[in-house]
Amino acid sequence: MMCMRLQFKSAIYVTRPILPPIEKMTAKLMEIWVSHRLTNNGPQHRLLEAALIDRLKVHTLSLFNNGTIALIVACQSMRLSGEVITTPFTFAATPHVLTWKNIKPIFCDIDPVTMNIDATKIESMITPKTTGILAVHVFGTPCDVDVIQDVADRYGLRVIYDAAHAFGVEINGTGIGTFGDISMFSFHATKLFHTAEGGALTFNDKNLKSRIDLLKNFGIKNEEEVVMPGINGKMNELQSALGLVLLDCIDEERRKRKAILSVYRKCLNGIEGISFQEKDIPGVESSYQYFVIKIDEKIFGCSRDQVHEEFKQYNVFTRKYFYPICSEYACYRHLSSAHRDNLPISRKIASEVLSLPFYGDLNQDDVEKICEILLEIRARG
Ligand code: T4K
């Protein structure tokens, strides 16, 4: 029998976007209304680019209307073609971007602890057609950036990081967006920092800025010259304004999520069959983007799928990020790198992971209740 006390009155989702105080947003909107400037590199856009360079500790940044278009432009700006080595344990956007660029994604297995691409396996997947590596800092945990760069340097490959989950991540004080050739951040509503929809590319090569900005604006150089086949990747002034106002709320949201993380760790510690990242990684500043557990069915007594399904009866909507792995999508399963024998760790991890609700508006009682529900689901078998 389900304990009614544990059922939430209203739905608890995996995340809930932060929103700024409405009066601050209204003041920003007034500026836009007065200026009549709605898009195309307006003042809010310029202010947000400058603010984010500072915040992310990066050298150069270009804003986009979403992370997926940003990633397409990153591949185009690096002139990637042929084959690119990537991870199957990611959101659909990562391999889809390659496909949209007519590039064949080559799936490499992942590390069982970080859940990121296994950097030691990349070299064995390189062929004469390989032009780059598209690695993902999954759930904000940094990839093995040194090993990846070493392989890339030895084979003359480009490195693009999908840092969609990695806003604010630093390695020993260095912004995560400074590694590789280009990094992509997503500012989708589900991200800690967001602009409802949005994204950015960050890179060290300042000369790349003009090419990337041309690519996101149809390749238009001036009224009479279109110098390359660009796309419309521009972030508008309303999105930029939301981002500017939200930047002031980020520190508090991070503090709240840090407190929630410690409640989860305390409540789940020692439960057999449940594993999660128990400690902060030394030298790494977290993104506080997701809280993910792994459920070992044999030890815990219930499968991940059962837990995910039963949580719904309590009005808790967890997510199986990232199941199924991308290599199992109909559009990719024919690839030889998608063969199950090539990806044993990815398949195992994808069958165990569960993202639990994780956002600042949750309070300690909510988190304790979610953990109690997990135990009740196990007890009910
Ligand atoms: N690379 C990686 C590794 C990514 O994870 C993503 C995006 C990308 C690239 C592409 O970046 P973008 O082009 O999106 O900028 C969500 C997001 O739509 C997606 O941005 C994100 N990754 C992915 C991991 O999660 P869904 O299909 O799970 O979203 P949805 O609508 O089910 O939202 C999850 C929960 O959040 C909902 O149950 C309720 C809550 N929610 C959601 C929205 C949109 C709200 O409370 N308010 C909202 O406005 O994909």
Side-chain angles (χ1 to χ4, degrees), residues 346-365:
S346 307
R347 286 175 40 237
K348 179 172 187 298
I349 298 284
S351 70
E352 295 179 344
V353 278
L354 195 64
S355 285
L356 299 185
F358 189 57
Y359 50 89
D361 278 352
L362 283 176
N363 59 44
Q364 180 166 338
D365 291 348

Side-chain angles (χ1 to χ4, degrees), residues 67-80:
T68 305
I69 294 288
L71 209 47
I72 288 179
V73 168
C75 294
Q76 176 82 0
S77 73
M78 290 284 111
R79 299 180 172 87
L80 295 187

Side-chain angles (χ1 to χ4, degrees), residues 13 15 17 67-68 90-91 162 164-165 186 188 190-191 290 319 321:
Y13 295 108
T15 191
T68 305
T90 181
F91 189 60
D162 177 335
H165 306 167
S186 165
H188 182 262
T190 52
K191 303 296 181 283
Y290 293 102
R319 293 302 284 263
Y321 295 137

Side-chain angles (χ1 to χ4, degrees), residues 12-276:
I12 301 284
Y13 295 108
V14 73
T15 191
R16 182 176 158 93
I18 51 167
L19 285 171
I22 189 73
E23 53 291 356
K24 291 210 168 157
M25 191 63 203
T26 311
K28 265 280 172 217
L29 290 178
M30 281 300 284
E31 287 177 35
I32 296 174
W33 257 239
V34 169
S35 72
H36 278 72
R37 183 66 184 218
L38 301 183
T39 187
N40 288 8
N41 197 22
Q44 308 297 335
H45 182 282
R46 291 197 296 273
L47 283 172
L48 185 60
E49 279 198 351
L52 286 173
I53 285 174
D54 223 41
R55 181 83 205 194
L56 293 173
K57 297 191 181 170
V58 293
H59 303 286
T60 322
L61 181 144
S62 210
L63 288 171
F64 278 83
N65 49 4
N66 63 60
T68 305
I69 294 288
L71 209 47
I72 288 179
V73 168
C75 294
Q76 176 82 0
S77 73
M78 290 284 111
R79 299 180 172 87
L80 295 187
S81 62
E83 296 177 356
V84 166
I85 299 169
T86 191
T87 170
F89 188 70
T90 181
F91 189 60
T94 318
H96 284 355
V97 159
L98 298 174
T99 305
W100 273 64
K101 287 290 300 114
N102 263 330
I103 296 165
K104 190 197 239 186
I106 304 294
F107 295 112
C108 177
D109 210 3
I110 61 170
D111 178 280
V113 177
T114 64
M115 299 186 256
N116 289 328
I117 193 166
D118 184 340
T120 64
K121 295 205 172 103
I122 292 175
E123 190 164 0
S124 67
M125 314 207 74
I126 296 174
T127 75
K129 291 185 184 155
T130 311
T131 55
I133 300 164
L134 173 53
V136 184
H137 303 298
V138 177
F139 306 135
T141 303
C143 290
D144 198 337
V145 289
D146 292 335
V147 176
I148 290 175
Q149 197 59 55
D150 176 62
V151 185
D153 289 345
R154 281 189 288 113
Y155 287 87
L157 304 178
R158 295 296 197 173
V159 179
I160 298 180
Y161 282 110
D162 177 335
H165 306 167
F167 189 90
V169 172
E170 294 173 16
I171 306 179
N172 296 320
T174 302
I176 194 78
T178 62
F179 294 96
D181 291 290
I182 305 189
S183 297
M184 177 281 284
F185 291 86
S186 165
F187 304 150
H188 182 262
T190 52
K191 303 296 181 283
L192 182 136
F193 170 76
H194 71 88
T195 54
E197 291 274 2
L201 293 180
T202 63
F203 35 94
N204 300 342
D205 179 1
K206 292 209 160 129
N207 297 324
L208 200 55
K209 171 83 173 152
S210 53
R211 179 168 164 76
I212 285 181
D213 284 352
L214 280 169
L215 281 170
K216 76 172 179 190
N217 187 28
F218 314 100
I220 295 175
K221 188 173 172 196
N222 56 44
E223 274 186 68
E224 296 190 356
E225 284 176 284
V226 176
V227 293
M228 56 185 77
I231 199 167
N232 184 354
K234 291 166 284 135
M235 178 180 278
N236 67 45
E237 288 291 277
L238 298 161
Q239 291 170 290
S240 307
L242 177 57
L244 279 168
V245 181
L246 267 183
L247 269 182
D248 291 339
C249 311
I250 291 300
D251 288 337
E252 197 195 339
E253 176 69 12
R254 281 172 60 88
R255 266 195 300 279
K256 287 182 180 170
R257 291 191 185 196
K258 194 173 179 177
I260 289 163
L261 176 63
S262 66
V263 180
Y264 267 130
R265 282 174 171 169
K266 185 175 69 125
C267 295
L268 298 178
N269 194 25
I271 300 181
E272 290 195 358
I274 301 288
S275 58
F276 53 92

